[in-house]
Amino acid sequence: MAYSQIRLKILPSVRSLFDEALQLKVEGLAPHKSVELRSKLVDDRGVTFRASAVYKADETGQVDVCCSPSLRGSYTGVEPMGLFWAMAPDTPHSKFLKKNVVTPTRVELEALSGENGEVLASEINERGYMIEGMKRIPVQDGSIRGVLFVPPGNGPFPGVMDLYTFGGGLCEPRASLLANKGYVVLALAYYGYQDLPKNPKTLHLEYFEEAVTYLRTRPEVSGPGIGIVSISHSGSLALAMSSFLPGISATVCVNSCIGNGLIPLHYKDIVIPPLTPVMENVKITESGLLNMYDILPDNALEINRASVPPIERATCHILFAAAEDDLCIKSLTCTRWAADTLRKHGKQSFQVVTYPKSGHFLEVPHMPFYRSGFQAVVGGNVVFGGEPKAHCEAQVDLWERVQEFFRRHLYNKSTL
């Protein structure tokens, strides 16, 4: 066989945005021959992620992952983006990390002979985070810290605040990818970043109020209000902001504990105490990982109500997204309770979407599935729940819903 005639194609281009779907093809194979496709990337922490799948060429000697089924490997069946979302870390319990969104993530793709493992063809996919002309502006304004992403064009654009925290610091991929859709996005840090406290004893809502004011008064931002997108612990902060602060039009809460978690939250003369984890409720799985699903007290119990922001005061639109197999927190139970509470107070400006068989970290599309990892609250590696394929599908669906939600509630309808 003339290997030089075998081609691995990435369509529409070898360069793409991280959240874009691709079509992979192998051409020039012998009819019905077996071929193994492999993917590999190294993240910004130096952790290697890999996936592989075995295909059989059709009668024309072609494999098209958009219609050809994987017979075995990291996934089976027709999965156009399986080589991306099914990547698993060589170092167990590692989350894909991207610190520098100015540079793309490089994914190495190879086609290997199913008979002897010889490399037949290879290609590099550069998966970027910022479209051409996007501005990334570090923010040190007053007490607030973060990064502002401003899309190219005349603007002004709707403003969105991204509250994403994973052990503190700043996470930029979701913010930058959302800014590509026509939003000015502030990725806001609130602990463990630059001169912010590493382990704060209290959080002050005034800090987030200052950030809202900053974003709303940027000349690139249209009004009248901004959006918030949050996940996990930051969901309760987003709801507290929506309950107390003006200038917020739309809030997204992904797998959020409705009650304030772990750190007291102060606003003026109000203190929202944290829900205290019940450590004896931590369970050990058969694989030796920890399951922390039951450690936070029930929001609905009267004894815990002081820890819940007065969400019935919120005047903005709210999108709740909950994974039905979230093993980190009771996001589905919390979401249903929040929806019932709003409904009882005559609120109708909210919507709920749930995802079967998906786990805690619902992020941007095609992110490698995060099965388990270290959780400081319990001091060990925990399971996050979900099945890779269903979780991937949930991320794709939610990403579109978030964009549609913000389009509906942030864009000035006279400009549409």
Side-chain angles (χ1 to χ4, degrees), residues 285-348:
T285 67
E286 292 182 0
S287 60
L289 297 171
L290 303 178
N291 183 327
M292 56 185 290
Y293 180 76
D294 289 318
I295 72 166
L296 284 182
D298 190 345
N299 291 318
L301 297 179
E302 190 62 34
I303 193 174
N304 299 320
R305 293 301 299 278
S307 297
V308 180
I311 58 176
E312 64 276 4
R313 292 179 44 169
T315 58
C316 64
H317 295 268
I318 304 175
L319 170 62
F320 295 101
E324 295 186 14
D325 194 36
D326 186 348
L327 297 182
C328 188
I329 60 174
K330 296 180 179 179
S331 56
L332 183 61
T333 301
C334 290
T335 291
R336 287 173 173 168
W337 180 87
D340 287 343
T341 299
L342 292 171
R343 202 175 288 114
K344 288 175 183 176
H345 285 82
K347 302 285 186 176
Q348 298 181 341

Short mmCIF file of all heavy atoms in Angstrom, two decimals, residues 285-348:
data_model
loop_
_atom_site.label_atom_id
_atom_site.label_comp_id
_atom_site.label_asym_id
_atom_site.label_seq_id
_atom_site.Cartn_x
_atom_site.Cartn_y
_atom_site.Cartn_z
N THR A 285 -16.39 5.16 47.49
CA THR A 285 -16.86 4.31 46.41
C THR A 285 -16.02 3.04 46.34
O THR A 285 -14.97 2.91 46.99
CB THR A 285 -16.79 5.03 45.06
OG1 THR A 285 -15.41 5.25 44.73
CG2 THR A 285 -17.49 6.39 45.14
N GLU A 286 -16.47 2.08 45.53
CA GLU A 286 -15.73 0.82 45.38
C GLU A 286 -14.33 1.06 44.82
O GLU A 286 -13.41 0.28 45.09
CB GLU A 286 -16.50 -0.12 44.44
CG GLU A 286 -17.80 -0.64 45.03
CD GLU A 286 -18.50 -1.59 44.09
OE1 GLU A 286 -17.97 -1.84 42.98
OE2 GLU A 286 -19.57 -2.10 44.46
N SER A 287 -14.16 2.13 44.04
CA SER A 287 -12.85 2.43 43.47
C SER A 287 -11.96 3.22 44.42
O SER A 287 -10.83 3.57 44.06
CB SER A 287 -13.02 3.21 42.16
OG SER A 287 -13.70 4.44 42.40
N GLY A 288 -12.45 3.51 45.61
CA GLY A 288 -11.66 4.23 46.60
C GLY A 288 -11.78 5.74 46.53
O GLY A 288 -11.15 6.46 47.31
N LEU A 289 -12.60 6.23 45.61
CA LEU A 289 -12.84 7.68 45.53
C LEU A 289 -13.91 8.09 46.53
O LEU A 289 -14.66 7.25 47.05
CB LEU A 289 -13.28 8.06 44.11
CG LEU A 289 -12.25 7.80 43.00
CD1 LEU A 289 -12.87 8.01 41.64
CD2 LEU A 289 -11.03 8.70 43.19
N LEU A 290 -13.98 9.38 46.80
CA LEU A 290 -14.95 9.91 47.75
C LEU A 290 -16.19 10.40 47.03
O LEU A 290 -16.10 10.95 45.93
CB LEU A 290 -14.33 11.05 48.57
CG LEU A 290 -13.04 10.70 49.34
CD1 LEU A 290 -12.52 11.94 50.07
CD2 LEU A 290 -13.27 9.56 50.31
N ASN A 291 -17.33 10.20 47.65
CA ASN A 291 -18.60 10.70 47.15
C ASN A 291 -19.13 11.71 48.16
O ASN A 291 -19.45 11.34 49.30
CB ASN A 291 -19.59 9.55 46.96
CG ASN A 291 -20.91 10.00 46.36
OD1 ASN A 291 -21.37 11.12 46.60
ND2 ASN A 291 -21.54 9.14 45.58
N MET A 292 -19.19 12.99 47.75
CA MET A 292 -19.58 14.06 48.67
C MET A 292 -21.00 14.56 48.43
O MET A 292 -21.38 15.64 48.88
CB MET A 292 -18.59 15.23 48.57
CG MET A 292 -18.42 15.80 47.18
SD MET A 292 -17.13 17.08 47.10
CE MET A 292 -17.91 18.41 48.02
N TYR A 293 -21.80 13.75 47.76
CA TYR A 293 -23.15 14.15 47.38
C TYR A 293 -24.00 14.59 48.57
O TYR A 293 -24.79 15.53 48.46
CB TYR A 293 -23.83 12.97 46.66
CG TYR A 293 -25.23 13.23 46.19
CD1 TYR A 293 -25.47 14.01 45.06
CD2 TYR A 293 -26.32 12.69 46.86
CE1 TYR A 293 -26.76 14.24 44.61
CE2 TYR A 293 -27.62 12.92 46.41
CZ TYR A 293 -27.83 13.69 45.29
OH TYR A 293 -29.11 13.92 44.86
N ASP A 294 -23.84 13.95 49.72
CA ASP A 294 -24.71 14.21 50.86
C ASP A 294 -24.12 15.13 51.91
O ASP A 294 -24.69 15.25 53.01
CB ASP A 294 -25.08 12.88 51.54
CG ASP A 294 -26.03 12.05 50.71
OD1 ASP A 294 -26.98 12.62 50.14
OD2 ASP A 294 -25.83 10.82 50.63
N ILE A 295 -23.01 15.81 51.63
CA ILE A 295 -22.37 16.53 52.74
C ILE A 295 -22.98 17.90 53.02
O ILE A 295 -22.81 18.42 54.13
CB ILE A 295 -20.84 16.68 52.53
CG1 ILE A 295 -20.50 17.68 51.42
CG2 ILE A 295 -20.19 15.35 52.29
CD1 ILE A 295 -19.04 18.07 51.43
N LEU A 296 -23.68 18.50 52.07
CA LEU A 296 -24.27 19.82 52.34
C LEU A 296 -25.69 19.66 52.85
O LEU A 296 -26.47 18.88 52.30
CB LEU A 296 -24.25 20.70 51.09
CG LEU A 296 -22.91 21.31 50.71
CD1 LEU A 296 -23.05 22.19 49.48
CD2 LEU A 296 -22.30 22.11 51.86
N PRO A 297 -26.05 20.41 53.89
CA PRO A 297 -27.41 20.33 54.43
C PRO A 297 -28.46 20.76 53.41
O PRO A 297 -28.17 21.46 52.43
CB PRO A 297 -27.37 21.30 55.62
CG PRO A 297 -25.93 21.46 55.97
CD PRO A 297 -25.19 21.31 54.67
N ASP A 298 -29.69 20.37 53.66
CA ASP A 298 -30.81 20.62 52.76
C ASP A 298 -31.22 22.09 52.81
O ASP A 298 -31.52 22.64 53.87
CB ASP A 298 -31.98 19.73 53.17
CG ASP A 298 -33.11 19.73 52.15
OD1 ASP A 298 -33.12 20.63 51.28
OD2 ASP A 298 -33.97 18.84 52.23
N ASN A 299 -31.25 22.74 51.62
CA ASN A 299 -31.71 24.14 51.54
C ASN A 299 -33.12 24.32 52.09
O ASN A 299 -33.45 25.36 52.66
CB ASN A 299 -31.74 24.61 50.08
CG ASN A 299 -30.38 24.74 49.47
OD1 ASN A 299 -29.47 25.23 50.09
ND2 ASN A 299 -30.24 24.29 48.24
N ALA A 300 -33.95 23.31 51.89
CA ALA A 300 -35.38 23.46 52.17
C ALA A 300 -35.70 23.48 53.65
O ALA A 300 -36.77 23.95 54.04
CB ALA A 300 -36.16 22.34 51.48
N LEU A 301 -34.81 22.96 54.48
CA LEU A 301 -35.09 22.91 55.92
C LEU A 301 -35.05 24.32 56.51
O LEU A 301 -34.15 25.11 56.21
CB LEU A 301 -34.08 22.01 56.62
CG LEU A 301 -34.09 20.53 56.22
CD1 LEU A 301 -33.01 19.77 56.98
CD2 LEU A 301 -35.46 19.92 56.44
N GLU A 302 -36.02 24.60 57.36
CA GLU A 302 -36.12 25.94 57.95
C GLU A 302 -34.85 26.34 58.69
O GLU A 302 -34.44 27.50 58.67
CB GLU A 302 -37.32 25.98 58.90
CG GLU A 302 -37.68 27.38 59.39
CD GLU A 302 -38.08 28.32 58.24
OE1 GLU A 302 -38.69 27.83 57.27
OE2 GLU A 302 -37.77 29.52 58.33
N ILE A 303 -34.18 25.37 59.30
CA ILE A 303 -32.98 25.67 60.08
C ILE A 303 -31.84 26.20 59.19
O ILE A 303 -30.93 26.87 59.66
CB ILE A 303 -32.52 24.40 60.85
CG1 ILE A 303 -31.47 24.77 61.89
CG2 ILE A 303 -32.00 23.33 59.89
CD1 ILE A 303 -31.10 23.61 62.79
N ASN A 304 -31.92 25.92 57.89
CA ASN A 304 -30.86 26.33 56.96
C ASN A 304 -31.24 27.53 56.10
O ASN A 304 -30.44 27.99 55.28
CB ASN A 304 -30.50 25.16 56.04
CG ASN A 304 -29.97 23.97 56.80
OD1 ASN A 304 -29.23 24.11 57.75
ND2 ASN A 304 -30.37 22.77 56.36
N ARG A 305 -32.43 28.07 56.30
CA ARG A 305 -32.92 29.11 55.41
C ARG A 305 -32.10 30.39 55.46
O ARG A 305 -32.04 31.14 54.48
CB ARG A 305 -34.39 29.42 55.69
CG ARG A 305 -35.34 28.29 55.35
CD ARG A 305 -35.24 27.92 53.88
NE ARG A 305 -35.60 29.02 53.00
CZ ARG A 305 -36.85 29.34 52.68
NH1 ARG A 305 -37.86 28.61 53.16
NH2 ARG A 305 -37.09 30.35 51.90
N ALA A 306 -31.43 30.65 56.58
CA ALA A 306 -30.61 31.86 56.68
C ALA A 306 -29.44 31.82 55.70
O ALA A 306 -28.87 32.86 55.35
CB ALA A 306 -30.09 32.04 58.10
N SER A 307 -29.06 30.62 55.26
CA SER A 307 -27.93 30.47 54.34
C SER A 307 -28.34 30.60 52.88
O SER A 307 -27.48 30.52 51.99
CB SER A 307 -27.27 29.10 54.56
OG SER A 307 -26.73 29.01 55.85
N VAL A 308 -29.63 30.81 52.65
CA VAL A 308 -30.13 30.87 51.27
C VAL A 308 -30.42 32.33 50.91
O VAL A 308 -31.16 33.02 51.62
CB VAL A 308 -31.41 30.03 51.11
CG1 VAL A 308 -31.93 30.12 49.68
CG2 VAL A 308 -31.14 28.58 51.50
N PRO A 309 -29.84 32.85 49.83
CA PRO A 309 -30.15 34.23 49.42
C PRO A 309 -31.65 34.36 49.14
O PRO A 309 -32.31 33.40 48.73
CB PRO A 309 -29.35 34.41 48.13
CG PRO A 309 -28.29 33.36 48.17
CD PRO A 309 -28.87 32.21 48.92
N PRO A 310 -32.22 35.54 49.38
CA PRO A 310 -33.65 35.75 49.14
C PRO A 310 -33.96 35.84 47.64
O PRO A 310 -34.24 36.91 47.10
CB PRO A 310 -33.93 37.07 49.86
CG PRO A 310 -32.64 37.81 49.81
CD PRO A 310 -31.56 36.76 49.92
N ILE A 311 -33.92 34.69 46.98
CA ILE A 311 -34.01 34.68 45.52
C ILE A 311 -35.36 35.21 45.02
O ILE A 311 -35.47 35.62 43.87
CB ILE A 311 -33.75 33.27 44.95
CG1 ILE A 311 -34.73 32.25 45.52
CG2 ILE A 311 -32.32 32.84 45.23
CD1 ILE A 311 -34.59 30.87 44.92
N GLU A 312 -36.36 35.22 45.90
CA GLU A 312 -37.65 35.75 45.49
C GLU A 312 -37.59 37.25 45.21
O GLU A 312 -38.50 37.81 44.58
CB GLU A 312 -38.71 35.46 46.56
CG GLU A 312 -38.48 36.14 47.90
CD GLU A 312 -37.54 35.37 48.81
OE1 GLU A 312 -37.00 34.32 48.38
OE2 GLU A 312 -37.34 35.82 49.96
N ARG A 313 -36.51 37.91 45.66
CA ARG A 313 -36.33 39.34 45.40
C ARG A 313 -35.77 39.61 44.00
O ARG A 313 -35.80 40.74 43.51
CB ARG A 313 -35.38 39.95 46.43
CG ARG A 313 -35.94 40.00 47.84
CD ARG A 313 -34.95 40.59 48.83
NE ARG A 313 -34.27 41.79 48.33
CZ ARG A 313 -33.52 42.60 49.09
NH1 ARG A 313 -33.37 42.33 50.38
NH2 ARG A 313 -32.93 43.65 48.58
N ALA A 314 -35.24 38.58 43.37
CA ALA A 314 -34.59 38.77 42.06
C ALA A 314 -35.61 39.22 41.01
O ALA A 314 -36.72 38.69 40.93
CB ALA A 314 -33.91 37.49 41.62
N THR A 315 -35.22 40.20 40.22
CA THR A 315 -36.09 40.70 39.15
C THR A 315 -35.59 40.31 37.76
O THR A 315 -36.22 40.62 36.77
CB THR A 315 -36.20 42.23 39.22
OG1 THR A 315 -34.90 42.81 39.11
CG2 THR A 315 -36.84 42.66 40.54
N CYS A 316 -34.44 39.63 37.72
CA CYS A 316 -33.87 39.25 36.43
C CYS A 316 -34.43 37.91 35.96
O CYS A 316 -35.14 37.21 36.69
CB CYS A 316 -32.35 39.14 36.54
SG CYS A 316 -31.79 37.85 37.67
N HIS A 317 -34.13 37.55 34.73
CA HIS A 317 -34.43 36.23 34.20
C HIS A 317 -33.34 35.26 34.66
O HIS A 317 -32.17 35.62 34.71
CB HIS A 317 -34.50 36.26 32.68
CG HIS A 317 -35.62 37.10 32.15
ND1 HIS A 317 -36.87 36.59 31.87
CD2 HIS A 317 -35.68 38.43 31.87
CE1 HIS A 317 -37.66 37.55 31.43
NE2 HIS A 317 -36.95 38.68 31.42
N ILE A 318 -33.73 34.03 34.97
CA ILE A 318 -32.77 33.05 35.48
C ILE A 318 -32.91 31.75 34.70
O ILE A 318 -34.02 31.26 34.48
CB ILE A 318 -32.99 32.77 36.98
CG1 ILE A 318 -32.92 34.06 37.80
CG2 ILE A 318 -31.94 31.77 37.49
CD1 ILE A 318 -33.24 33.87 39.28
N LEU A 319 -31.78 31.22 34.26
CA LEU A 319 -31.72 29.90 33.64
C LEU A 319 -30.99 28.96 34.59
O LEU A 319 -29.82 29.18 34.91
CB LEU A 319 -30.99 29.96 32.30
CG LEU A 319 -30.65 28.62 31.64
CD1 LEU A 319 -31.92 27.83 31.31
CD2 LEU A 319 -29.80 28.83 30.38
N PHE A 320 -31.69 27.94 35.07
CA PHE A 320 -31.09 26.91 35.91
C PHE A 320 -30.79 25.69 35.04
O PHE A 320 -31.67 25.22 34.31
CB PHE A 320 -32.03 26.48 37.03
CG PHE A 320 -32.34 27.53 38.05
CD1 PHE A 320 -33.55 28.23 38.00
CD2 PHE A 320 -31.45 27.83 39.07
CE1 PHE A 320 -33.86 29.18 38.95
CE2 PHE A 320 -31.75 28.80 40.02
CZ PHE A 320 -32.95 29.47 39.97
N ALA A 321 -29.58 25.17 35.12
CA ALA A 321 -29.23 23.92 34.45
C ALA A 321 -28.72 22.94 35.50
O ALA A 321 -27.85 23.29 36.31
CB ALA A 321 -28.15 24.15 33.39
N ALA A 322 -29.27 21.73 35.49
CA ALA A 322 -28.91 20.75 36.51
C ALA A 322 -28.63 19.39 35.88
O ALA A 322 -29.42 18.90 35.05
CB ALA A 322 -30.02 20.62 37.55
N ALA A 323 -27.51 18.80 36.27
CA ALA A 323 -27.15 17.45 35.82
C ALA A 323 -27.78 16.43 36.76
O ALA A 323 -27.64 16.54 37.98
CB ALA A 323 -25.63 17.29 35.80
N GLU A 324 -28.46 15.46 36.20
CA GLU A 324 -29.18 14.49 37.02
C GLU A 324 -28.27 13.48 37.70
O GLU A 324 -28.68 12.80 38.64
CB GLU A 324 -30.23 13.78 36.17
CG GLU A 324 -31.33 14.71 35.67
CD GLU A 324 -32.44 13.97 34.94
OE1 GLU A 324 -32.50 12.73 35.05
OE2 GLU A 324 -33.25 14.64 34.27
N ASP A 325 -27.01 13.38 37.24
CA ASP A 325 -26.07 12.47 37.88
C ASP A 325 -24.91 13.23 38.52
O ASP A 325 -23.80 12.70 38.65
CB ASP A 325 -25.54 11.45 36.86
CG ASP A 325 -24.82 10.28 37.53
OD1 ASP A 325 -25.25 9.86 38.61
OD2 ASP A 325 -23.82 9.79 36.97
N ASP A 326 -25.16 14.47 38.91
CA ASP A 326 -24.16 15.26 39.62
C ASP A 326 -23.91 14.61 40.98
O ASP A 326 -24.81 14.55 41.82
CB ASP A 326 -24.67 16.70 39.80
CG ASP A 326 -23.64 17.64 40.41
OD1 ASP A 326 -22.61 17.16 40.92
OD2 ASP A 326 -23.88 18.86 40.39
N LEU A 327 -22.70 14.15 41.23
CA LEU A 327 -22.36 13.51 42.50
C LEU A 327 -21.57 14.43 43.41
O LEU A 327 -21.13 14.02 44.48
CB LEU A 327 -21.57 12.22 42.26
CG LEU A 327 -22.31 11.12 41.50
CD1 LEU A 327 -21.43 9.88 41.36
CD2 LEU A 327 -23.62 10.76 42.19
N CYS A 328 -21.41 15.69 42.98
CA CYS A 328 -20.66 16.66 43.79
C CYS A 328 -21.60 17.39 44.75
O CYS A 328 -21.31 17.52 45.93
CB CYS A 328 -19.95 17.64 42.88
SG CYS A 328 -18.83 18.75 43.72
N ILE A 329 -22.72 17.87 44.21
CA ILE A 329 -23.75 18.51 45.03
C ILE A 329 -25.11 18.07 44.51
O ILE A 329 -25.22 17.52 43.41
CB ILE A 329 -23.65 20.05 44.99
CG1 ILE A 329 -23.82 20.57 43.57
CG2 ILE A 329 -22.36 20.55 45.60
CD1 ILE A 329 -23.87 22.07 43.48
N LYS A 330 -26.14 18.33 45.30
CA LYS A 330 -27.50 17.96 44.90
C LYS A 330 -28.09 19.05 44.00
O LYS A 330 -29.07 19.72 44.36
CB LYS A 330 -28.37 17.73 46.13
CG LYS A 330 -27.90 16.57 47.00
CD LYS A 330 -28.80 16.39 48.22
CE LYS A 330 -28.35 15.21 49.07
NZ LYS A 330 -29.19 15.02 50.27
N SER A 331 -27.49 19.21 42.84
CA SER A 331 -27.87 20.32 41.97
C SER A 331 -29.31 20.18 41.48
O SER A 331 -30.03 21.18 41.37
CB SER A 331 -26.91 20.43 40.79
OG SER A 331 -26.83 19.22 40.07
N LEU A 332 -29.76 18.97 41.19
CA LEU A 332 -31.12 18.78 40.70
C LEU A 332 -32.13 19.12 41.79
O LEU A 332 -33.11 19.84 41.55
CB LEU A 332 -31.32 17.35 40.22
CG LEU A 332 -32.68 17.03 39.60
CD1 LEU A 332 -32.94 17.88 38.37
CD2 LEU A 332 -32.77 15.54 39.23
N THR A 333 -31.89 18.63 43.00
CA THR A 333 -32.78 18.93 44.13
C THR A 333 -32.78 20.43 44.42
O THR A 333 -33.85 21.03 44.64
CB THR A 333 -32.32 18.16 45.38
OG1 THR A 333 -32.35 16.76 45.10
CG2 THR A 333 -33.21 18.46 46.57
N CYS A 334 -31.61 21.04 44.42
CA CYS A 334 -31.50 22.48 44.70
C CYS A 334 -32.23 23.30 43.64
O CYS A 334 -32.94 24.27 43.96
CB CYS A 334 -30.04 22.90 44.76
SG CYS A 334 -29.14 22.29 46.20
N THR A 335 -32.07 22.90 42.39
CA THR A 335 -32.71 23.63 41.30
C THR A 335 -34.23 23.54 41.40
O THR A 335 -34.94 24.55 41.22
CB THR A 335 -32.23 23.08 39.95
OG1 THR A 335 -30.85 23.43 39.78
CG2 THR A 335 -33.03 23.64 38.80
N ARG A 336 -34.74 22.36 41.69
CA ARG A 336 -36.18 22.21 41.82
C ARG A 336 -36.72 23.01 42.99
O ARG A 336 -37.81 23.62 42.89
CB ARG A 336 -36.52 20.72 41.98
CG ARG A 336 -36.36 19.93 40.68
CD ARG A 336 -36.53 18.45 40.90
NE ARG A 336 -36.54 17.72 39.62
CZ ARG A 336 -36.45 16.41 39.52
NH1 ARG A 336 -36.34 15.65 40.61
NH2 ARG A 336 -36.46 15.83 38.33
N TRP A 337 -35.97 23.05 44.07
CA TRP A 337 -36.41 23.85 45.22
C TRP A 337 -36.43 25.34 44.86
O TRP A 337 -37.37 26.06 45.22
CB TRP A 337 -35.47 23.61 46.41
CG TRP A 337 -35.87 24.39 47.62
CD1 TRP A 337 -36.75 24.02 48.59
CD2 TRP A 337 -35.41 25.70 47.97
NE1 TRP A 337 -36.88 25.01 49.53
CE2 TRP A 337 -36.07 26.05 49.18
CE3 TRP A 337 -34.52 26.61 47.41
CZ2 TRP A 337 -35.86 27.28 49.81
CZ3 TRP A 337 -34.31 27.83 48.03
CH2 TRP A 337 -34.97 28.15 49.21
N ALA A 338 -35.40 25.81 44.15
CA ALA A 338 -35.35 27.22 43.76
C ALA A 338 -36.51 27.56 42.85
O ALA A 338 -37.15 28.61 43.00
CB ALA A 338 -34.02 27.52 43.07
N ALA A 339 -36.81 26.67 41.90
CA ALA A 339 -37.93 26.91 40.99
C ALA A 339 -39.25 26.95 41.75
O ALA A 339 -40.10 27.83 41.49
CB ALA A 339 -37.97 25.82 39.92
N ASP A 340 -39.45 26.05 42.71
CA ASP A 340 -40.67 26.06 43.51
C ASP A 340 -40.80 27.33 44.32
O ASP A 340 -41.89 27.91 44.44
CB ASP A 340 -40.70 24.84 44.44
CG ASP A 340 -40.96 23.54 43.71
OD1 ASP A 340 -41.43 23.60 42.56
OD2 ASP A 340 -40.67 22.47 44.29
N THR A 341 -39.67 27.78 44.88
CA THR A 341 -39.67 29.01 45.69
C THR A 341 -40.06 30.21 44.83
O THR A 341 -40.90 31.03 45.23
CB THR A 341 -38.29 29.24 46.32
OG1 THR A 341 -37.98 28.15 47.18
CG2 THR A 341 -38.26 30.55 47.12
N LEU A 342 -39.47 30.33 43.66
CA LEU A 342 -39.80 31.44 42.77
C LEU A 342 -41.26 31.37 42.33
O LEU A 342 -41.97 32.39 42.30
CB LEU A 342 -38.87 31.42 41.56
CG LEU A 342 -37.40 31.74 41.83
CD1 LEU A 342 -36.55 31.47 40.58
CD2 LEU A 342 -37.23 33.20 42.27
N ARG A 343 -41.71 30.17 42.04
CA ARG A 343 -43.10 29.99 41.61
C ARG A 343 -44.09 30.40 42.71
O ARG A 343 -45.10 31.06 42.44
CB ARG A 343 -43.31 28.53 41.20
CG ARG A 343 -44.48 28.29 40.26
CD ARG A 343 -44.53 26.84 39.83
NE ARG A 343 -43.45 26.50 38.90
CZ ARG A 343 -42.47 25.65 39.17
NH1 ARG A 343 -42.40 25.06 40.34
NH2 ARG A 343 -41.55 25.40 38.26
N LYS A 344 -43.77 30.04 43.94
CA LYS A 344 -44.65 30.37 45.07
C LYS A 344 -44.74 31.88 45.30
O LYS A 344 -45.73 32.37 45.86
CB LYS A 344 -44.15 29.69 46.34
CG LYS A 344 -44.37 28.18 46.36
CD LYS A 344 -43.75 27.55 47.58
CE LYS A 344 -43.91 26.03 47.57
NZ LYS A 344 -43.23 25.39 48.72
N HIS A 345 -43.71 32.59 44.87
CA HIS A 345 -43.71 34.06 45.01
C HIS A 345 -44.19 34.75 43.73
O HIS A 345 -43.95 35.95 43.55
CB HIS A 345 -42.33 34.55 45.41
CG HIS A 345 -41.97 34.29 46.84
ND1 HIS A 345 -41.48 33.07 47.29
CD2 HIS A 345 -42.07 35.08 47.95
CE1 HIS A 345 -41.26 33.13 48.58
NE2 HIS A 345 -41.62 34.34 49.02
N GLY A 346 -44.81 34.00 42.86
CA GLY A 346 -45.39 34.59 41.67
C GLY A 346 -44.41 34.92 40.57
O GLY A 346 -44.74 35.64 39.62
N LYS A 347 -43.18 34.37 40.68
CA LYS A 347 -42.17 34.64 39.66
C LYS A 347 -42.31 33.64 38.51
O LYS A 347 -42.47 32.44 38.74
CB LYS A 347 -40.77 34.52 40.27
CG LYS A 347 -40.51 35.45 41.45
CD LYS A 347 -40.30 36.89 41.00
CE LYS A 347 -39.91 37.77 42.18
NZ LYS A 347 -39.61 39.14 41.76
N GLN A 348 -42.22 34.16 37.30
CA GLN A 348 -42.29 33.29 36.13
C GLN A 348 -41.12 33.48 35.17
O GLN A 348 -41.03 32.79 34.16
CB GLN A 348 -43.61 33.56 35.38
CG GLN A 348 -44.85 33.24 36.19
CD GLN A 348 -46.13 33.48 35.41
OE1 GLN A 348 -46.13 34.19 34.41
NE2 GLN A 348 -47.22 32.91 35.87
#
